[in-house]
Amino acid sequence: MTSSTTDMAGHPDVAEISDLVEGLLPPSRTTDVRRHLETCDLCADVYASLEEIQGLLGTLPGPQRMPDDVAGRIDAA
């Protein structure tokens, strides 16, 4: 989680917007950043892009299971 950071124009840091997407911001900061997103098209676009990326990553298949023979050799080592 990031600390509260804004640039000189008052925009939240991209890492903070990312934390918002992931639900990691504290409630008080979440309110402030969401309020900012309502009036700032630039930051709202960043938020939408990060949400889209998160959604796409959630659709990827999980890792393949390690073949039993490989697992056996690792255990033996």
Side-chain angles (χ1 to χ4, degrees), residues 2-19:
T2 61
S3 61
S4 171
T5 55
T6 56
D7 67 12
M8 292 186 69
H11 300 284
D13 187 85
V14 172
E16 194 170 37
I17 296 172
S18 178
D19 283 351

Side-chain angles (χ1 to χ4, degrees), residues 1 9 13 16 20-21 24 29 34 36 42 44 46-47 49 52 69 74:
M1 183 163 69
D13 187 85
E16 194 170 37
L20 175 65
V21 170
L24 300 175
R29 189 61 186 150
R34 285 194 186 281
H36 177 83
L42 177 64
V46 170
Y47 179 84
S49 295
E52 183 180 3
D69 63 318
I74 291 172

Side-chain angles (χ1 to χ4, degrees), residues 19-75:
D19 283 351
L20 175 65
V21 170
E22 295 179 33
L24 300 175
L25 283 182
S28 63
R29 189 61 186 150
T30 295
T31 300
D32 292 341
V33 174
R34 285 194 186 281
R35 189 175 301 124
H36 177 83
L37 294 176
E38 290 173 3
T39 61
C40 180
D41 291 338
L42 177 64
C43 290
D45 285 346
V46 170
Y47 179 84
S49 295
L50 291 170
E51 265 192 322
E52 183 180 3
I53 291 167
Q54 183 184 44
L56 291 171
L57 290 174
T59 63
L60 292 174
Q64 293 183 357
R65 182 168 159 42
M66 184 182 300
D68 289 335
D69 63 318
V70 173
R73 289 194 304 253
I74 291 172
D75 288 343

